[in-house]
Structure formats: structure tokens, C-alpha cells
Amino acid sequence: MSQIASCPLASDIVKQVQEGADPSQFVDEALQRAKDDENNAIIRIYEESAQAALANVKERIGNGDQLPLAGVPLLIKDNLCYKDHLTTSCSKILEGFVAPYTATAVQKLIDAGAIVIGHTNMDEFAMGSSNETSVNGNVKNPHDPERIPGGSSGGSAASAASGIVPLALGSDTGGSIRQPASLCGCVGFKPTYGHVSRYGLMAFASSLDQIGPFSQSVSDAALCTDVMSGHDPLDSSSSSQQHDATFEAVLAANPDVLKGKKIGYIAEHQDQLTGDIASTFDRCKQLVQEAGAELVPVSLPHEKYAVAVYYIIATGEASSNLSRYDGIHYGFRDDEFEDLTDIYYKTRGEGFGAEVKRRIMLGTYVLSHGYYDAYYKQAMRVRKLMCNDFEAAFKQCDVIMDLVSPSTAFKHGERMDDPIQMYLSDIFTIAANLAGIPAISVPGGKDSSGLPIGIHFQSPQWSEKSLLSTAAACEQLFQA
Ligand code: GLN
């Protein structure tokens, strides 16, 4: 049943192309694998524009350009604008919407020689943890078609895990890169908030959203992030600091990196772990300790409020961001209407799915006059306490090692009628978004049914090099 395969790593493709290999073979093979996909992970394949981009890359190689991603096939989540291509956030309300420009992160990858071969399936407007709210239907987990791939970037995760492409982009507002990476068994990285420009990413919760890669190795995630990062005048929240490239260090990382490292584990989580998840985590702890790391228990006392705080802040921001979908500016509009108000009612009533409407209503409520202080402002205060907790924890350790998800992939339909259960899927990932810190999911093992278990690494803001080197060293240990 399992459709797990590997494809050449992005770094290997680049090396081969630099040594004279024809990049067409990598792109053509990826296009074929995308066509053969059985998981509904890819919603549109761009054969024609991929071939045109390939011709352009070949010309540039011919001119002697050193392209850091020469010929690397790439899939992008359907909330990332790609000029002259449909981009819909898997929502009916964006039916027919053709992006007038390309997201900065995507453009940087294209400029570096990557070839976009399609858009991937996702939860509508990135709201979900199971990829079951997409207007394009459910995505299947490549390890078991009856199970969800995680969400909201389920299509990108399934594509990277099943070896369709070496790199796929996702967005992470509360866990949407790391949780599906964990459940599908690939690497998923959310950089520090502000590391990658959000320009051209359809906004969900602007103070939390961050673009990041899915890959089959930590070093490929580093390579992709190095290319995407940097200040963008079109996104004022993107950092203007110069950041060290991480790829070379991460590629060279081996378990020796762990010698003398202080790896924290979250004391409060330990009695929440059960069964195969608990034993996998114990094994991983033992492996890092054997490699010479010091394990340090750390406390995040306010993290227990993370889900509650998130569903106030994220829904508040979403209600504002999604007000732009009014039936006038973008995509879908109901044909029959009496006046302007009627256009809004009908378009938004029919265009948004149930989960998105639930969030807009929640968000409108928490921001409304009389409730703002009690909900939004209070949530912002608790968010600050959570940032302080991380600051204190990172005085005791370099990196925190934890689990990404409290369970392995669940079955389709299992949590759709119970939003609270669904929201709790992200109980371990949300805090990193609230604190704006970088965090990555690395495959750590499997449960007794063969379903992947991701290990979560988190570190202080802008410490990508240390985080990714540690994660790369652990990736080798856990795979052994
Ligand atoms: N699952 C979370 C939610 O539904 C996180 C989504 C995300 O990171 N985009 O809000």
C-alpha cells in the first residue's frame, strides 16, 4: 500500500547539473511522477511553463551562470502566487483566480534555477490539520491511503515524502509544515518569523505565517531556505539583517556536532506521551545522549495555553485578512444578487467552506468592541509570557527536542466532527509560531503500524545554523 520512494536530492541534482548533466531528465521524471500521483497531492501540473522555465535555465547554465538550484523540480502550495497560473488556496471563493505576480520566495527559487512543476493540495486557506477542508478533496497519506497526511500543507508533504519532488513549499501558521511532515515521514522546516518574505503568500494570520520547505533531507531544507531568505521591500516584516548561509555547515554535519550540545526536552510533555510515540522519543533521547549531548529538562509553563491563545490571535487576524474576498476583487461571485450587500452575503456564504466560516466568525467576535480587551489583548499578553518561557529555556539549552504531533496519522473523517480534537493535533507545534522561533520536523521512527513519527527541534530566533546542524546530525542518528 505504501507509496514511499525517494528521488534524487536537490543538492545531488545541482551537483550533477553543474558537472554537465542535462536538467531535463530530472524535471521530466518529476513531471511523470506527478502525473502518476495517487494521493491527490497535486492539484495542477504545469508541464508547459515547466518546459519553458527549463529552456531558460539551460540557457543560463550555457552562459556560465552558477545556479544554486539548477534544474531542481519544485512543487508549491496553492496559497503561493505564481504569475499567470491559477492560485486558489483550495477555496471555491478563489475559483478562476489567476495570480498577477509571483510570491517572492517562489521567485527567488526560480531565479536560482528551480522549476515549478505544479501547485499542491491544502486545507482551504491553510486552516486545518488533516487536509480535509480543501475544495479539491482529501489528500491521502502515502503510507496508508485511509489516513490523512496532516495539514494544512498535506499535498506538499505527501509529494516530498513519496519522492515526487525533492523540494516542495508549504506555509506554517500553527504547524502546517511540521505536522504533515511528521505524519508523512519527510523533513519540514519553519524558519524564524521574518526569515522568508511573505509577499505573495495568501495571508491567514500575518503575525504567525511563515513559508518553508519540505524535503527528504535536512540539508536540502537548508539549501532551499538559504535561497529564499532575506529582506524584501514588499514585506515589511521580513528581516533586513544579513544571515549566514546554513547549507555548507548542515551538509557537513555529523553526529559529532552533538558532542557537548545541550539538548532540552519539555518536562511538561513527558507524561502526555504514550505508546509507540513515547518509546520512539525515549530511543531518540538515548541516541543523542550516546552521541555526547547533554539532555536537560526545561519547563514551558505557559505553553498549555498555546492552543487557546492561537485560536484567538489566528482567527482574529484571519477575519481581517479574509475580508478582502468580497466577490468584487477576486475569483468567484454568485451570479444572482440584488445589491452590493447581497453580493457579499452570497459570495462569502457560498464561496467559503464551513471551517473557514467558523474561523471568520470566531475572529470577528474576539475583535469586536467590548470583547477585544478580554480576548485579543489578553491572548497577546499570554503570548508574551510564552516568549519569556522560551527565552528562559534557551538559557539552559541550545536546542529543544520534542515531538511534533501527539499521534501518528489518523483516519479520514475521524476528527472532522470535533473541531477541538482537530485543533489539539497542533498542541506541540503552535508555540513556535507564537514565539516566532525556527522549528523543524525530522523523521524519528515509526509506530507499530509503520506510520511515521516526527521529532521536533526548536531553537532561539535566527539560530538556524545551529538548529539545522543539530537536526541533520540527529537525522543520521535516527535513520541508522
Ligand atoms: N492546523 C492549524 C490551523 O488549522 C495550523 C494551520 C497552519 O499552520 N496553517 O490553524
Side-chain angles (χ1 to χ4, degrees):
M1 272 302 185
S2 163
Q3 291 153 23
I4 295 302
S6 53
C7 60
L9 293 180
S11 57
D12 288 340
I13 293 177
V14 175
K15 202 159 158 251
Q16 289 187 48
V17 170
Q18 275 168 358
E19 287 165 3
D22 181 352
S24 299
Q25 70 186 84
F26 302 108
V27 175
D28 289 345
E29 281 166 17
L31 280 164
Q32 191 54 50
R33 289 190 294 263
K35 285 182 208 157
D36 295 341
D37 169 49
E38 290 174 5
N39 297 318
N40 196 27
I42 302 159
I43 52 171
R44 289 181 300 275
I45 298 175
Y46 303 135
E47 188 143 20
E48 222 179 286
S49 57
Q51 294 302 347
L54 196 52
N56 181 272
V57 164
K58 284 189 194 175
E59 198 184 312
R60 291 170 61 201
I61 296 171
N63 292 339
D65 282 6
Q66 290 287 322
L67 303 176
L69 289 173
V72 174
L74 171 74
L75 281 163
I76 59 176
K77 187 175 177 176
D78 194 34
N79 58 357
L80 288 162
C81 287
Y82 185 30
K83 191 174 189 306
D84 298 334
H85 292 75
L86 285 170
T87 307
T88 69
S89 270
C90 286
S91 177
K92 180 173 174 180
I93 211 157
L94 279 170
E95 198 175 84
F97 176 71
V98 176
Y101 57 86
T102 298
T104 300
V106 176
Q107 190 60 51
K108 286 190 172 197
L109 298 177
I110 293 172
D111 292 346
I115 311 289
V116 179
I117 67 159
H119 263 125
T120 57
N121 207 340
M122 60 182 277
D123 278 299
E124 184 181 5
F125 283 108
M127 297 174 186
S129 306
S130 62
N131 217 127
E132 292 172 291
T133 69
S134 164
V135 76
N136 299 92
N138 295 350
V139 176
K140 296 173 189 159
N141 188 306
H143 292 265
D144 178 351
E146 287 185 14
R147 291 177 189 271
I148 57 104
S152 63
S153 320
S156 288
S159 301
S162 59
I164 294 172
V165 280
L167 284 179
L169 289 190
S171 62
D172 191 312
T173 307
S176 277
I177 293 177
R178 293 158 288 150
Q179 185 255 15
S182 171
L183 303 194
C184 288
C186 59
V187 170
F189 175 44
K190 180 200 91 70
T192 300
Y193 180 79
H195 203 325
V196 177
S197 164
R198 292 178 294 109
Y199 181 71
L201 166 68
M202 290 174 174
F204 165 8
S206 307
S207 76
L208 303 163
D209 297 341
Q210 187 58 194
I211 298 169
F214 290 90
S215 59
Q216 297 206 341
S217 77
V218 177
S219 55
D220 267 5
L223 175 64
C224 179
T225 308
D226 282 353
V227 172
M228 287 193 294
S229 75
H231 179 63
D232 176 7
L234 298 168
D235 171 11
S236 57
S237 68
S238 66
S239 167
S240 49
Q241 296 174 46
Q242 270 293 336
H243 298 289
D244 297 344
T246 59
F247 173 60
E248 296 295 338
V250 175
L251 193 65
N254 62 44
D256 282 348
V257 166
L258 298 172
K259 283 207 176 90
K261 273 245 177 210
K262 289 190 174 159
I263 308 270
Y265 62 93
I266 302 170
E268 289 88 354
H269 288 186
Q270 300 316 299
D271 49 359
Q272 293 177 38
L273 309 179
T274 52
D276 295 341
I277 299 226
S279 53
T280 299
F281 193 59
D282 283 343
R283 174 179 166 265
C284 293
K285 279 203 296 196
Q286 199 184 330
L287 287 169
V288 299
Q289 211 164 18
E290 282 166 11
E294 185 190 338
L295 283 175
V296 190
V298 294
S299 176
L300 298 176
H302 299 93
E303 201 220 14
K304 56 177 180 280
Y305 305 119
V307 175
V309 165
Y310 173 84
Y311 277 94
I312 292 171
I313 295 175
T315 57
E317 293 182 13
S319 71
S320 166
N321 275 326
L322 272 61
S323 64
R324 74 190 62 178
Y325 303 110
D326 54 5
I328 309 291
H329 292 95
Y330 308 94
F332 167 76
R333 177 191 305 166
D334 188 275
D335 291 338
E336 286 171 32
F337 53 85
E338 282 162 19
D339 54 22
L340 186 62
T341 313
D342 205 36
I343 292 184
Y344 297 156
Y345 273 122
K346 286 202 171 129
T347 303
R348 289 170 68 84
E350 289 166 36
F352 287 132
E355 182 59 31
V356 174
K357 284 188 215 164
R358 176 167 22 234
R359 308 255 183 139
I360 292 174
M361 285 193 280
L362 262 171
T364 307
Y365 179 78
V366 300
L367 292 184
S368 58
H369 182 71
Y371 293 104
Y372 181 89
D373 284 358
Y375 292 107
Y376 193 78
K377 220 166 159 186
Q378 182 70 355
M380 288 303 276
R381 288 196 187 106
V382 182
R383 181 178 188 174
K384 177 70 179 119
L385 294 175
M386 290 170 56
C387 294
N388 295 349
D389 287 352
F390 272 116
E391 220 169 279
F394 289 129
K395 289 202 172 109
Q396 296 171 263
C397 67
D398 304 304
V399 171
I400 294 175
M401 182 169 105
D402 192 28
L403 285 151
V404 175
S405 167
S407 73
T408 48
F410 45 93
K411 295 214 162 133
H412 286 283
E414 215 176 281
R415 298 190 188 172
M416 277 307 270
D417 298 330
D418 188 347
I420 301 287
Q421 263 322 100
M422 187 67 91
Y423 297 169
L424 288 172
S425 310
D426 302 310
I427 192 162
F428 297 151
T429 50
I430 282 174
N433 300 79
L434 291 167
I437 60 173
I440 186 166
S441 175
V442 173
K446 289 196 173 148
D447 72 4
S448 51
S449 320
L451 297 170
I453 297 170
I455 301 296
H456 198 200
F457 294 93
Q458 305 175 81
S459 70
Q461 287 193 345
W462 308 112
S463 65
E464 263 78 359
K465 204 173 198 168
S466 147
L467 175 74
L468 296 178
S469 303
T470 305
C474 291
E475 173 183 47
Q476 291 172 28
L477 283 182
F478 301 164
Q479 271 168 13

